[in-house]
Amino acid sequence: MEYEAVIGLETHVQLKTKSKMWCGCANSFGAEPNTNVCPVCLGLPGVLPVPNDEALRLTVLTGFLLNCEIPRFAKFDRKSYFYPDMPKNYQITQYDKPSTANGYVEFEFAGAGSTNDLSRVRITRAHLEEDVGKSFHFDRNSGLDFNRAGVPLMEIVSEPDLTSPDMAYEYLNALKDILVYGGVSDCDMEKGMVRCDVNVSVRPVGAKDLGAKIEIKNMNSFSGVRRALEYEIPRQIAVVKSGGKLIQSTRRWDDVAAVTEQMRTKEDAHDYRYFPDPDLMPLAPDDAWLAEVKSRVVELPLARKQRFMRDYGLPESDAETFKNDVPLGDYFEGIAKHSKSPKAVANWVINNLRAKLSESSSRRESAPTEASEIDQSRLTSAATDVTLADLKFQPGALLELVSLVETKTISSTAAQQVFAEMFDTGKCPTAIVQEKGLAQVSDTGAIEKFCDEVIAVNPGPANDFKSGKPAALNFLKGQVMKLSKGKANPALVGEILERKLKA
Ligand code: ADP
Ligand code: ZN
Ligand code: MG
């Protein structure tokens, strides 16, 4: 019998707010331990929480971005448990009345049997809760840092719609892209801003009922999630194939040993004794508030990529580049809107401008800090942000350059020279062409002379071409271009050479 995996993810994301969820302490990373704390987030007796408005908005904004329903009634509940990093002995969360529910994420992944390369995963809910502190264990004692206690945290729960480790990985990346685009979270993995619990079971292919759910904790990157699943799924299949029975349980991923190990079974599951927090009013968003939040909805990454391919006729790789580098994509679009050759504009922006920018930024900043594995492959840190803003030339200059090439006023070789000059000096392309005499020679008379000369001094290659070696033409063409100092119209050169050699 063949088995298939069923996966659902619970993703915790730190919200991008200035202050914590219930108090005015800073929501910031990397401060000295216990410097961003107050009686409220330390859970001292008698204090009262005041909800962070922006956190409420960002949660509902996430609901909109994930196509969720936004109920007109939501509330906060206490989830009771004891753990030293949580001084109140309960976590405030949303239990049965979350702020958002029943949405979906669409992302690029060609699932089994899918006709296109998109997959859809249903979102059960995205609800608001608070983070806890952090424990540190030393030789003979332990320490607690409460800077993170009470930081607004959103939990995004998926339906068990994922079917493979790769699909889970792509879902997480898509979710991260959406949250970063939407300004909901920076999703910086290195700073622990995204954490994910994985639920996975196996069942005979085609079966309706779900198998026993096993939850895996302690992955600290998206690729860690993928590796944990790559280990856990075959393990579960091996158990059931050998006649064993899986029981609902929680396992811990050991990233070094690359295995999951049993933590607890359902028997020792907690009873959290959820009840509505009496210190917090229920939430009843009204039309005006919802409209205000909705006005912050931005175009999503996938939609942007698809629009760039559709509206500007870009190949997928270019559109992907502009999806991942938002400032560069915006810059491209500002020019492409006015151009008849958006693809040519994209080539200049990606191949030339971006290269120049990274060159100059690596010259300015010394050793760039090493980005995490995930940061590199996805939304790259905006190394180009700063410099795009202080380009010496106007966007219109790039438009002009493209049209100089399109109208064959200059050759593509000369265009490279013009670009380098306009990047360094900010002069306009036409002026540079005039100043440097780069206008392309399309005067056949002049080109004929160059061709005659090249054929005369290169009898070998000329004969090679005549005796059926077409590659020899490129060599001769190169010689003519050289002789004309790159100014001859290459298409004309080719034609004239061929005509002369075949004569
Ligand atoms: P709990 O009540 O233990 O929190 P839920 O039913 O709320 O469990 O589900 C938590 C997560 O586990 C969700 O992401 C859900 O999609 C996923 N899940 C639930 N049942 C299964 C299963 N049998 N196999 C895989 N994932 C599951
Ligand atoms: Zn505080
Ligand atoms: Mg649940």
Side-chain angles (χ1 to χ4, degrees):
M1 199 185 289
E2 287 309 308
Y3 288 85
E4 64 183 11
V6 176
I7 303 159
L9 300 183
E10 295 165 290
T11 312
H12 291 89
V13 178
Q14 261 184 32
L15 294 178
K16 195 172 168 175
T17 58
K18 288 205 178 72
S19 56
K20 291 190 183 181
M21 188 60 219
W22 316 112
C23 60
C25 292
N27 172 15
S28 66
F29 178 83
E32 277 291 299
N34 300 308
T35 52
N36 292 329
V37 293
C38 75
V40 174
C41 54
L42 287 174
L44 300 190
V47 294
L48 285 172
V50 178
N52 181 324
D53 233 19
E54 178 64 359
L56 296 174
R57 283 193 214 99
L58 290 177
T59 304
V60 169
L61 175 59
T62 303
F64 285 127
L65 295 172
L66 301 181
N67 309 292
C68 291
E69 293 158 15
I70 313 296
R72 293 300 180 116
F73 179 88
K75 66 178 171 68
F76 289 108
D77 303 279
R78 292 185 180 182
K79 177 183 183 180
S80 304
Y81 62 96
F82 172 81
Y83 204 75
D85 63 13
M86 197 186 57
K88 294 199 298 289
N89 284 343
Y90 61 83
Q91 179 194 30
I92 303 176
T93 181
Q94 296 185 305
Y95 181 52
D96 55 345
K97 297 287 176 192
S99 282
T100 84
N102 303 326
Y104 63 87
V105 182
E106 224 164 28
F107 58 104
E108 289 174 301
F109 183 79
S114 79
T115 46
N116 58 21
D117 55 1
L118 291 187
S119 289
R120 182 183 277 208
V121 167
R122 288 169 300 156
I123 297 296
T124 317
R125 57 196 281 168
H127 70 247
L128 187 51
E129 54 187 44
E130 59 176 330
D131 213 340
V132 294
K134 203 169 181 299
S135 314
F136 293 89
H137 303 291
F138 309 109
D139 262 1
R140 303 178 58 87
N141 46 31
S142 290
L144 288 160
D145 175 10
F146 290 108
N147 282 348
R148 218 175 61 188
V151 159
L153 201 63
M154 193 172 52
E155 178 172 343
I156 302 170
V157 183
S158 87
E159 290 289 303
D161 288 347
L162 298 144
T163 53
S164 71
D166 284 340
M167 188 180 184
Y169 180 79
E170 291 305 329
Y171 160 80
L172 285 170
N173 278 304
L175 193 60
K176 177 188 168 192
D177 285 356
I178 291 170
L179 298 173
V180 172
Y181 258 57
V184 170
S185 170
D186 289 331
C187 292
D188 191 331
M189 305 288 298
E190 310 241 291
K191 298 181 180 167
M193 288 181 184
V194 188
R195 281 160 275 156
C196 182
D197 295 336
V198 168
N199 302 274
V200 55
S201 59
V202 296
R203 65 179 172 190
V205 172
K208 271 221 171 73
D209 292 341
L210 294 176
K213 181 186 82 170
I214 290 178
E215 183 171 353
I216 316 173
K217 292 184 175 294
N218 196 45
M219 286 77 58
N220 49 27
S221 66
F222 293 170
S223 54
V225 168
R226 180 161 64 185
R227 284 196 302 278
L229 283 166
E230 279 165 354
Y231 171 85
E232 179 64 14
I233 294 167
R235 186 194 72 82
Q236 291 187 15
I237 292 174
V239 171
V240 289
K241 275 199 169 165
S242 65
K245 199 167 149 34
L246 291 161
I247 49 166
Q248 189 173 326
S249 54
T250 303
R251 301 178 71 85
R252 183 182 166 280
W253 169 244
D254 179 337
D255 202 61
V256 178
V259 297
T260 63
E261 57 213 14
Q262 179 105 316
M263 272 170 77
R264 56 175 180 260
T265 57
K266 205 183 171 191
E267 284 81 70
D268 22 75
H270 311 277
D271 175 0
Y272 294 120
R273 300 183 149 258
Y274 286 100
F275 68 93
D277 193 312
D279 290 341
L280 289 160
M281 292 285 284
L283 302 166
D286 63 20
D287 289 347
W289 189 86
L290 288 172
E292 192 216 310
V293 175
K294 200 163 194 172
S295 72
R296 291 169 65 176
V297 168
V298 295
E299 181 183 41
L300 294 186
L302 179 61
R304 177 176 169 96
K305 179 173 165 181
Q306 290 172 333
R307 185 171 60 79
F308 274 46
M309 290 169 73
R310 189 182 60 236
D311 290 1
Y312 300 113
L314 296 188
E316 189 178 352
S317 57
D318 288 3
E320 180 75 25
T321 302
F322 293 141
K323 183 193 95 180
N324 293 338
D325 191 335
V326 176
L328 197 73
D330 288 347
Y331 182 83
F332 158 77
E333 189 162 32
I335 300 172
K337 269 195 292 216
H338 307 288
S339 173
K340 286 194 202 78
S341 333
K343 171 60 188 144
V345 175
N347 287 345
W348 280 102
V349 170
I350 295 173
N351 301 334
N352 300 71
L353 179 58
R354 190 174 57 163
K356 275 278 187 195
L357 287 173
S358 59
E359 212 177 274
S360 59
S361 74
S362 59
R363 244 187 280 129
R364 238 175 320 122
E365 302 151 19
S366 47
T369 51
E370 204 171 304
S372 74
E373 173 187 9
I374 283 146
D375 283 350
Q376 275 174 359
S377 62
R378 301 288 160 170
L379 293 169
T380 46
S381 73
T384 52
D385 277 24
V386 212
T387 41
L388 265 182
D390 43 53
L391 282 181
K392 289 195 176 136
F393 62 87
Q394 297 295 310
L398 201 56
L399 200 60
E400 193 181 316
L401 180 62
V402 169
S403 93
L404 287 174
V405 179
E406 296 278 303
T407 56
K408 302 206 161 48
T409 310
I410 55 174
S411 68
S412 48
T413 328
Q416 296 290 337
Q417 217 178 317
V418 174
F419 179 80
E421 177 79 11
M422 75 187 221
F423 185 88
D424 288 339
T425 65
K427 283 186 192 158
C428 84
T430 314
I432 298 170
V433 169
Q434 267 167 16
E435 205 173 282
K436 305 218 160 196
L438 291 171
Q440 182 158 257
V441 178
S442 290
D443 163 8
T444 25
I447 295 177
E448 300 247 0
K449 269 192 220 142
F450 289 139
C451 291
D452 286 337
E453 196 177 329
V454 164
I455 291 171
V457 297
N458 295 287
N463 283 328
D464 284 351
F465 180 76
K466 285 182 195 160
S467 58
K469 287 184 190 150
L473 190 69
N474 283 334
F475 171 79
L476 296 170
K477 220 169 131 177
Q479 295 303 304
V480 174
M481 292 308 293
K482 216 165 150 186
L483 202 60
S484 76
K485 303 203 169 67
K487 285 191 273 178
N489 177 333
L492 268 180
V493 172
E495 273 170 39
I496 292 174
L497 273 175
E498 235 182 299
R499 175 162 49 72
K500 286 186 182 291
L501 291 168
K502 281 185 177 158

